[in-house]
Amino acid sequence: MAKPGFQQWSARALCGKSRNLKLLLNSANCCLENIYSPRTAWKNPYRSFSASCCRSKSIAKHKGFEDSYAYHHSRQRLAANKARQVELKEQRAAALGDPIRGVTTPFVEAFDAEIPPQSTADIEDVSLTTSAPTPEEPPPSPANALGETHLNYYLTRPELEDSLDYSRVLSEPLVTENRDQADPAREAQEAKAHEASHANALEAVSRIVSLANATSRERTRANVQRIIDTFGRHNTDTHLRSKAPSLQSTYSTIAEQKPTPRAGPDTGSSEVQIGILTAKIRVLADRYEGANRNDKANKRNLRLLLHRRQKLLKYMHKKERGSQRWFHMIEKLGLTEATWKGEIE
């Protein structure tokens, strides 16, 4: 192959020079665009401290703000509005409440152990370690029926008190009819022993009939009875008014029918059924928490009870909205809007 001549070498050189010249012109055009572009600020390598200010001004001008102060002020307002939206969202969620438990009230707290809300006993008074057990004075128990309103085994407070008083009379020591042969010291000792034994028997019976020591089924039965006594219309019709009649029923020509008299306690009204479902839901919710998170059967039962209560609440909200029955039930059970509005997951 022949060596390239002078003309070939000159052509290659000219091509290389034109390529380099083209690259040089492109770089010069880029520099000129960066310098004279209205959207970007000129960056001086010897004055780096002013680059951020120039850039903020160019961004503000690009966004439509001639003043950088107005731009930063708008950004602050945007951040404040977003923070306020998050705060309002949390407040609405808190006001909506828990769809399962709602708001805890003293009436609902009494479902767990049947302890009355008005009892304010000190913790030291019910501790078993405060006093040593003696035959004269039994140790105090943290679970007894002395301060409870509802008892186990279908007992009532008057029946228990009458039975304890009668047993005390039957167990009293006999007094010698002939006082000349009586021994006062011996009688005093027997009376003291009788008082101690009666105190022990009273403590034992109180622990037996206490709902705090009862099973879950027995406690639920007692809670159902409490709900019937509290929300049953055989008791609430005397002091709670129902919803005012509508205009259509007021000007109607059809004569109103008298309600059928009740044959017994009210167990089928909406507020009673809602209260019973709330007590059962609380039991299942407590059982489902903690180590029983994988209990699918109780989870399904809990969902069924929640949706059944939601239907009854929607029905009662439609029929008794604004009435004293509605507010009485909501305040006692601590139900919020989340229990009957929206979807319960």
Side-chain angles (χ1 to χ4, degrees), residues 170-189:
L170 291 178
S171 60
E172 285 182 352
L174 297 176
V175 180
T176 306
E177 296 180 358
N178 188 1
R179 301 306 301 169
D180 296 336
Q181 300 178 358
D183 188 0
R186 182 181 178 182
E187 289 181 355
Q189 186 177 2

Side-chain angles (χ1 to χ4, degrees), residues 24-229:
L24 183 61
L25 290 175
N26 291 335
S27 62
N29 291 331
C30 292
C31 293
L32 291 175
E33 288 179 359
N34 292 332
I35 293 174
Y36 295 103
S37 178
R39 294 188 178 181
T40 58
W42 178 62
K43 297 182 180 180
N44 190 354
Y46 300 102
R47 297 184 63 185
S48 58
F49 58 89
S50 62
S52 59
C53 180
C54 296
R55 181 171 178 81
S56 63
K57 290 182 179 179
S58 64
I59 293 175
K61 189 174 181 180
H62 177 67
K63 293 290 185 179
F65 298 95
E66 297 295 338
D67 189 6
S68 61
Y69 174 78
Y71 171 73
H72 290 294
H73 188 60
S74 65
R75 301 298 296 178
Q76 290 179 359
R77 289 202 308 269
L78 180 61
N81 290 335
K82 289 184 178 180
R84 180 60 179 167
Q85 289 177 5
V86 173
E87 183 180 356
L88 290 176
K89 187 176 181 181
E90 293 177 355
Q91 290 179 1
R92 293 191 191 99
L96 196 61
D98 187 6
I100 299 177
R101 297 181 180 274
V103 181
T104 304
T105 59
F107 183 80
V108 176
E109 286 181 350
F111 289 165
D112 298 336
E114 186 52 37
I115 299 176
Q118 63 272 12
S119 64
T120 56
D122 193 3
I123 298 177
E124 295 181 356
D125 297 338
V126 296
S127 178
L128 294 175
T129 60
T130 54
S131 59
T134 57
E136 293 81 8
E137 183 180 358
S141 173
N144 53 32
L146 297 178
E148 297 180 4
T149 55
H150 292 78
L151 306 176
N152 199 3
Y153 304 111
Y154 300 94
L155 291 176
T156 59
R157 174 61 55 186
E159 292 176 354
L160 178 63
E161 293 178 354
D162 294 342
S163 300
L164 291 175
D165 293 339
Y166 186 64
S167 65
R168 181 174 184 176
V169 172
L170 291 178
S171 60
E172 285 182 352
L174 297 176
V175 180
T176 306
E177 296 180 358
N178 188 1
R179 301 306 301 169
D180 296 336
Q181 300 178 358
D183 188 0
R186 182 181 178 182
E187 289 181 355
Q189 186 177 2
E190 290 179 354
K192 188 176 181 180
H194 172 260
E195 291 294 335
S197 62
H198 179 71
N200 290 331
L202 178 62
E203 181 69 18
V205 173
S206 299
R207 295 186 186 187
I208 291 171
V209 300
S210 175
L211 284 174
N213 300 325
T215 61
S216 178
R217 181 176 298 179
E218 293 171 347
R219 196 178 299 118
T220 302
R221 178 196 54 77
N223 291 332
V224 168
Q225 186 62 39
R226 289 180 61 234
I227 291 168
I228 293 173
D229 296 339

Side-chain angles (χ1 to χ4, degrees), residues 293-333:
R293 296 291 295 178
N294 296 324
D295 193 353
K296 304 301 181 182
N298 280 332
K299 183 178 180 180
R300 180 180 180 276
N301 295 333
L302 180 61
R303 283 178 176 272
L304 293 176
L305 294 179
L306 285 173
H307 288 90
R308 193 183 304 172
R309 185 181 68 175
Q310 187 183 32
K311 291 179 181 179
L312 289 173
L313 282 170
K314 287 182 179 179
Y315 171 78
M316 191 172 180
H317 184 261
K318 179 181 178 181
K319 296 294 183 180
E320 297 289 341
R321 180 179 54 189
S323 64
Q324 293 183 357
R325 291 175 181 172
W326 172 260
F327 289 113
H328 175 68
M329 180 192 66
I330 292 299
E331 292 175 359
K332 280 284 187 179
L333 298 178

